[in-house]
Amino acid sequence: MTAIAEAQEPAPNLDWWRGGVIYQIYPRSYQDSNGDGIGDLAGITERLPYVASLGVDAIWISPFFTSPMKDFGYDVSDYRDVDPMFGTLADFDELVATAHRLGIRVMIDLVLSHSSDEHPWFRESRASRYNPKRDWYVWADPKPDGTPPNNWLSIFGGPAWQWDTRRQQYYLHNFLVSQPDLNFHNPDVQDALLDVARFWLDHGVDGFRLDVINFYFADRYLRDNPALPPERRNAHIAPQVNPYNHQEHIYSKNQPENLVFLKRFRDLLDEYPGAAAVGEVGDAQLGMEILGQYTREGEGVHMCYAFDFLAADPLTARRIVDVFDHMDRVAPDGWACWALSNHDVTRHMTRWHLGDQAARCYATLIQTLRGSVCLYQGEELGLTESLVAYEDLRDPYGIEFWPEFAGRDGCRTPMVWEASNSNGGFSRGKPWLPVAPEHLGKSVSDQEKLPDAMLHHYRRVIAMRSAHEALRSGVQRDTVATGDVLSFTREGAGERVFAAFNLGGRTDTIPAPAGLWSPIEGVGGSELNDGAGGLILGPWEYVLLRATG
């Protein structure tokens, strides 16, 4: 291990990830330190005291590696360096050191399933069929009629195969044409990617968010995917206008060989005490089943990033009960990492048409559920989705499917730190995406001055989670939907917590829990009301009780 890693402060809680709160930073849009309009690593370091003030356990930084930026960093051309637009490797080391001094762990986004077509590995692989890296990517001959080897589709539209004139073969790309898929069936590829992970662990990172973890392996025999019946289609992974939703992707992802590689990845992580990984599972049909497989104790990643609360449909009490019932059936020992917003979906304030009180209710709810939590930058300010004009779009996904699908730029607009200028304190130059004017009134500096602002509510509920081990890592029992009211208990470390949330627009009453209880103070919500033997909850009200006998 390098001197950088040896200088890390020891982690007192090696299971910090279990129930931990992780704050996602999209580096392009967090803080620009040099005035070029693009956020950077030095800007993140500058704002780490603010992150620490939220009380989170860790940050997750979206990709900052060397890249042609056709998919804004998710197309990596050098896994071991920082793209100049974000700074230098020394800037990253300073970020890690500062975060650790502030008690914040650092997770970074590893994109292992595919690289950029500008990566030296791919340049060598495509040069001929007879070179050391000839099978580092997924290559296949055409069918006799010259068409692609099978019917697989790209998430970003069109076939998942691109013809290459040098090799006179097709290569697989599950995303952009410029993002060729690596061939995980080749053990040399696995070794090279594990060396990448070790490189960053030696630079002091505390773990990884693994992009599209279930895409690592493709079917060895490249069999056609079957059609998905219309009644089973949904827009949870791809927009409705995308034909990707017309297939059941049983051969292009979710292959059993992935479990063997994940065991190798976990063995590497275990060499670094306290290191953890969260895997993003991109599958609308089998997401929870895969979560159960991939988070087996000591066999895979520590937790999986769940998409269940990122859907366009409102998150109702019944929906949450169904999710946890499903998890109890197919992944009883699995560990989820829940999120309401991220860099790929419409912000939940807009997606679910939430008012202030409803947003506070959901912010409290997610901190009480069994699992870990990911918060997305600006969520703590109550930011809504930005409306980005077509001429300002940067996201290739949105440009491809405009206007039916506007893409992901609306959730990626810059963070607002102050309302004193149109750039919101993000940059001295012209931001890479426009700052939403409606966000300026919700800036950090403005909310710091208001004791009852959304920002302070997030701080209070995060602190509540940290203060109650039952909420952080305890079991969850008796998850019930009574009309619009969701209720459950959490138990662990010798304490019991009862929670009830009215996720609807009308007053409702539920039975009070048996026994002696007292309200958890300081996080809002209704007072205990047992005058009629029940709890009365108005629209978007909640009650949090701690057992006292």
Side-chain angles (χ1 to χ4, degrees):
M1 295 175 64
T2 69
I4 295 170
E6 292 169 354
Q8 288 185 61
E9 299 175 10
N13 177 14
L14 301 185
D15 283 338
W16 64 269
W17 57 271
R18 191 179 293 277
V21 181
I22 304 166
Y23 182 79
Q24 182 193 356
I25 293 176
Y26 193 70
R28 275 181 164 265
S29 299
Y30 205 60
Q31 178 66 63
D32 170 22
S33 70
N34 61 9
D36 66 356
I38 298 172
D40 46 47
L41 296 180
I44 295 173
T45 303
E46 176 187 338
R47 296 297 185 178
L48 284 176
Y50 165 78
V51 177
S53 77
L54 299 176
V56 300
D57 297 279
I59 56 173
W60 145 30
I61 308 175
S62 293
F64 51 83
F65 314 109
T66 308
S67 166
M69 298 294 164
K70 293 179 181 177
D71 192 24
F72 299 104
Y74 285 89
D75 49 329
V76 180
S77 57
D78 186 347
Y79 284 104
R80 295 171 182 256
D81 206 355
V82 174
D83 193 281
M85 74 168 56
F86 295 125
T88 66
L89 195 55
D91 290 330
F92 180 77
D93 292 338
E94 177 61 25
L95 186 160
V96 171
T98 303
H100 286 168
R101 285 196 298 270
L102 292 168
I104 304 169
R105 294 170 176 85
V106 178
M107 306 182 81
I108 64 173
D109 212 328
L110 276 189
V111 189
L112 303 182
S113 74
H114 54 270
S115 75
S116 165
D117 60 358
E118 297 184 18
H119 196 291
W121 296 346
F122 187 70
R123 287 177 171 171
E124 182 175 350
S125 186
R126 82 188 312 182
S128 74
R129 301 191 189 194
Y130 311 101
N131 67 76
K133 291 185 171 58
R134 60 189 177 275
D135 61 350
W136 275 46
Y137 291 81
V138 182
W139 294 96
D141 290 326
K143 290 180 179 179
D145 62 359
T147 56
N150 62 30
N151 69 344
W152 297 354
L153 296 173
S154 164
I155 287 183
F156 284 177
W161 297 96
Q162 177 67 18
W163 179 252
D164 184 79
T165 57
R166 298 163 186 81
R167 291 183 52 142
Q168 296 186 41
Q169 287 182 306
Y170 285 95
Y171 67 82
L172 178 67
H173 63 93
N174 273 295
F175 300 92
L176 292 176
V177 169
S178 57
Q179 293 171 300
D181 278 59
L182 284 151
N183 177 20
F184 275 72
H185 291 288
N186 184 334
D188 291 339
V189 171
Q190 295 187 31
D191 291 345
L193 294 173
L194 290 172
D195 284 345
V196 166
R198 186 181 294 279
F199 174 86
W200 291 105
L201 288 164
D202 286 344
H203 273 270
V205 303
D206 302 284
F208 304 101
R209 182 265 194 183
L210 298 173
D211 187 61
V212 291
I213 190 175
N214 55 317
F215 280 78
Y216 289 172
F217 283 83
D219 175 51
R220 187 185 298 273
Y221 304 105
L222 303 181
R223 287 169 283 190
D224 280 353
N225 284 326
L228 186 68
E231 63 273 14
R232 292 181 55 202
R233 297 173 192 166
N234 63 64
H236 291 174
I237 297 301
Q240 186 176 354
V241 295
N242 190 343
Y244 188 83
N245 288 321
H246 291 216
Q247 288 185 1
E248 189 168 9
H249 304 276
I250 62 175
Y251 294 121
S252 52
K253 58 184 178 181
N254 304 342
Q255 299 306 292
E257 295 95 331
N258 210 22
L259 295 170
V260 179
F261 173 75
L262 292 181
K263 179 61 167 69
R264 295 190 67 196
F265 198 92
R266 179 58 176 265
D267 288 345
L268 171 61
L269 288 175
D270 288 347
E271 295 179 30
Y272 297 79
V278 52
E280 179 200 27
V281 176
D283 195 291
Q285 284 82 39
L286 297 172
M288 195 60 72
E289 286 85 349
I290 295 169
L291 181 150
Q293 296 172 21
Y294 287 9
T295 61
R296 289 171 181 158
E297 186 68 30
E299 296 294 319
V301 293
H302 300 73
M303 47 192 164
C304 275
Y305 191 81
F307 280 77
D308 300 81
F309 300 163
L310 295 170
D313 301 330
L315 189 59
T316 63
R318 181 72 259 165
R319 170 67 178 149
I320 294 172
V321 169
D322 289 344
V323 167
F324 276 90
D325 284 350
H326 187 205
M327 188 172 182
D328 286 343
R329 289 194 308 273
V330 303
D333 299 318
W335 196 263
C337 187
W338 307 112
L340 302 178
S341 287
N342 68 18
H343 66 293
D344 280 336
V345 300
T346 302
R347 287 184 178 272
H348 68 276
M349 287 288 295
T350 299
R351 198 168 73 242
W352 297 332
H353 310 288
L354 302 182
D356 184 82
Q357 190 172 355
R360 290 169 187 259
C361 183
Y362 280 119
T364 310
L365 168 64
I366 199 170
Q367 297 294 339
T368 60
L369 295 172
R370 179 182 182 270
S372 301
V373 177
C374 269
L375 306 177
Y376 179 51
Q377 65 181 54
E379 175 181 339
E380 74 277 15
L381 304 178
L383 297 188
T384 54
E385 185 82 351
S386 301
L387 183 61
V388 181
Y390 180 78
E391 57 269 22
D392 292 325
L393 287 182
R394 305 293 296 276
D395 179 20
Y397 203 2
I399 293 170
E400 174 71 19
F401 289 104
W402 177 273
E404 286 78 11
F405 174 63
R408 302 165 295 179
D409 288 327
C411 64
R412 297 177 177 182
T413 55
M415 184 75 169
V416 285
W417 299 100
E418 57 191 53
S420 59
N421 62 63
S422 61
N423 289 350
F426 164 71
S427 175
R428 301 187 305 275
K430 180 181 178 181
W432 74 286
L433 279 176
V435 174
E438 65 271 20
H439 288 179
L440 294 175
K442 298 182 177 181
S443 72
V444 171
S445 62
D446 282 358
Q447 294 201 31
E448 291 284 13
K449 303 169 188 174
L450 303 172
D452 198 35
M454 184 73 72
L455 171 59
H456 298 300
H457 180 75
Y458 267 80
R459 286 174 172 149
R460 287 190 286 267
V461 294
I462 293 169
M464 171 195 69
R465 183 180 182 87
S466 297
H468 295 278
E469 194 59 35
L471 295 179
R472 192 173 175 91
S473 62
V475 299
Q476 183 168 319
R477 304 186 191 280
D478 303 322
T479 307
V480 176
T482 306
D484 289 331
V485 177
L486 173 75
S487 62
F488 52 89
T489 59
R490 299 291 309 278
E491 300 178 17
E495 69 172 348
R496 295 175 64 213
V497 172
F498 173 84
F501 297 84
N502 186 348
L503 303 180
R506 61 184 182 184
T507 299
D508 215 333
T509 303
I510 64 168
L516 299 176
W517 304 80
S518 62
I520 294 177
E521 304 289 347
V523 291
S526 299
E527 295 296 322
L528 179 62
N529 184 334
D530 58 358
L535 299 175
I536 302 173
L537 294 173
W540 304 109
E541 286 188 343
Y542 54 89
V543 61
L544 299 169
L545 308 174
R546 183 172 178 270
T548 56

